[in-house]
Amino acid sequence: MTDADSRGNLYLKETETASRQLFTALEHYRQLLNNINPPFLIRDVYPNDDRKAIFDLWCKQNEDEINKSHERAKQYIAQLFSESTIAGAILQIAYMGIRLHLPTQPIPDDFSSIIKTANHEAAHFCIGRRIREVPQGLIIYAGRIQYNHLNDDELRSIPMSIFERLAKNHGWPVKDLIDPAFDLNRPDLQNYSANILHIMEWNSYVQYEADMSKLLGGLKAG
């Protein structure tokens, strides 16, 4: 084990209690989301069927469940800011682990146009598996800045480019579609920290710890 590995493992150990508590807090919001469970109308429709009448009848028959689903959705939406704040705190811990314990990394060729010098802070984060064609370390870097400096234009240049790639490289079959979960040009711009955790599949402390162990051990960018 190298000194860097040892320091990285120590950092994870020292921050484990806080990180676990943050992931436990996030579970509350996931339960709210999972409990929405709207009813669905699935049936065969024939050319002579009155589709509106069929739908109206279904709505009337399922009115209570539809209303309950709407209320549960409202409860979840009302707490999105709180959820994203907790997710942002997780990104902050991950960011500091990489920033404090990893040296600058080789800048991938496809990012040399936005990270122009190895002296830039972002060079520490050119590490990890690719997600939507972006190294995981850079996703953490961009997500943390967006969380802490949502309206600071001076700090948004590199994160803007990273979020643009996340928004465009979604793999969906619809050409030129921008994923709104990472679109920094939306007029109703939100904190996207929870969305960042989702695409990294950090749904629990176990998943977070496994990835961070690899990153702090020097896992190269894919």
Side-chain angles (χ1 to χ4, degrees):
M1 179 181 291
T2 66
D3 288 344
D5 289 338
S6 179
R7 292 194 302 271
N9 287 334
L10 180 61
Y11 179 83
L12 286 178
K13 199 68 178 174
E14 290 174 341
T15 57
E16 179 178 354
T17 298
S19 299
R20 283 188 180 277
Q21 290 177 344
L22 289 168
F23 276 102
T24 297
L26 279 183
E27 187 59 31
H28 164 73
Y29 303 99
R30 293 201 182 94
Q31 287 300 322
L32 286 178
L33 184 60
N34 292 337
N35 288 337
I36 293 174
N37 291 326
F40 294 94
L41 169 60
I42 301 175
R43 59 158 291 170
D44 294 328
V45 178
Y46 299 97
N48 294 328
D49 286 345
D50 186 338
R51 300 187 182 193
K52 184 178 184 307
I54 292 172
F55 180 71
D56 289 344
L57 176 61
W58 175 83
C59 287
K60 184 176 181 179
Q61 293 172 336
N62 294 272
E63 184 175 4
D64 287 344
E65 283 303 310
I66 292 171
N67 289 337
K68 289 177 183 178
S69 174
H70 286 169
E71 286 304 312
R72 288 192 288 261
K74 289 178 183 178
Q75 291 174 12
Y76 174 71
I77 292 170
Q79 298 187 53
L80 282 177
F81 177 80
S82 298
E83 179 188 26
S84 294
T85 299
I86 294 170
I90 293 171
L91 289 178
Q92 176 70 20
I93 294 173
Y95 163 90
M96 289 304 299
I98 296 171
R99 184 66 182 85
L100 292 173
H101 301 294
L102 286 183
T104 58
Q105 306 292 319
I107 299 171
D109 291 341
D110 55 335
F111 283 84
S112 60
S113 62
I114 63 173
I115 306 173
K116 302 181 184 299
T117 171
N119 293 325
H120 195 285
E121 180 188 38
H124 288 267
F125 295 84
C126 297
I127 193 167
R129 60 189 172 94
R130 293 264 178 157
I131 301 170
R132 297 195 179 189
E133 302 182 22
V134 179
Q136 188 176 17
L138 285 176
I139 295 176
I140 294 169
Y141 171 79
R144 180 263 178 185
I145 289 184
Q146 202 259 342
Y147 161 66
N148 277 318
H149 306 283
L150 186 64
N151 297 312
D152 191 336
D153 291 337
E154 292 184 7
L155 294 174
R156 291 179 66 193
S157 176
I158 293 176
M160 278 286 288
S161 297
I162 292 170
F163 272 94
E164 182 178 3
R165 297 184 190 208
L166 295 177
K168 290 182 177 179
N169 298 329
H170 42 66
W172 299 336
V174 182
K175 186 178 180 181
D176 298 327
L177 182 67
I178 300 297
D179 184 350
F182 303 102
D183 184 4
L184 294 186
N185 292 312
R186 287 175 54 179
D188 59 336
L189 183 61
Q190 303 292 323
N191 177 346
Y192 292 151
S193 297
N195 300 344
I196 291 289
L197 295 195
H198 177 73
I199 63 164
M200 293 196 299
E201 299 180 349
W202 283 6
N203 299 314
S204 69
Y205 177 80
V206 171
Q207 294 164 311
Y208 160 85
E209 192 272 340
D211 265 359
M212 285 300 296
S213 293
K214 293 175 183 177
L215 291 170
L216 295 177
L219 178 67
K220 301 303 180 184

